[in-house]
Amino acid sequence: RLYPFYRFSNVRSISLEHLYSLEKLDRLIDDFPRLPHLTDLQLHRCVIQADQQSILSLMNKIWSLPQLTNLHLGISFDNHNHF
């Protein structure tokens, strides 16, 4: 279970690394609008398997963060199934 970020109401910067689950990343980003001081978001070395619509939804959530001024997206999106 992920600890909700919104409990850290004064956080200004978040840096996350090695995320591999779209669902977990999506839940984390859903908390970000409740962080009124968040200006810096860094995502490093993340590989997410997702379809185009899910990627678009994720990007829209990030771009709609009102106070965000600094963003690093180190995300590779994999939309291929591996057997």
Side-chain angles (χ1 to χ4, degrees):
R1 175 148 172 92
L2 298 170
Y3 192 79
F5 274 107
Y6 67 83
R7 294 196 178 189
F8 302 104
S9 60
N10 290 319
V11 71
R12 296 182 187 282
S13 177
I14 293 176
S15 181
L16 301 170
E17 235 178 280
H18 298 287
L19 290 172
Y20 301 104
S21 168
L22 176 65
E23 292 78 22
K24 286 182 182 175
L25 182 57
D26 202 41
R27 279 191 286 165
L28 291 170
I29 290 174
D30 282 344
D31 276 351
F32 293 169
R34 296 198 243 166
L35 301 174
H37 305 289
L38 181 64
T39 59
D40 181 46
L41 176 59
Q42 310 283 318
L43 299 173
H44 300 280
R45 293 181 283 282
C46 301
V47 179
I48 305 296
Q49 187 171 2
D51 59 41
Q52 189 172 10
Q53 187 59 39
S54 298
I55 294 169
L56 182 60
S57 175
L58 185 70
M59 293 298 110
N60 283 336
K61 287 179 185 181
I62 291 172
W63 294 127
S64 68
L65 295 171
Q67 301 301 323
L68 198 63
T69 58
N70 188 26
L71 174 66
H72 173 82
L73 290 178
I75 302 175
S76 296
F77 291 103
D78 182 5
N79 62 0
H80 302 297
N81 292 325
H82 300 283
F83 298 97

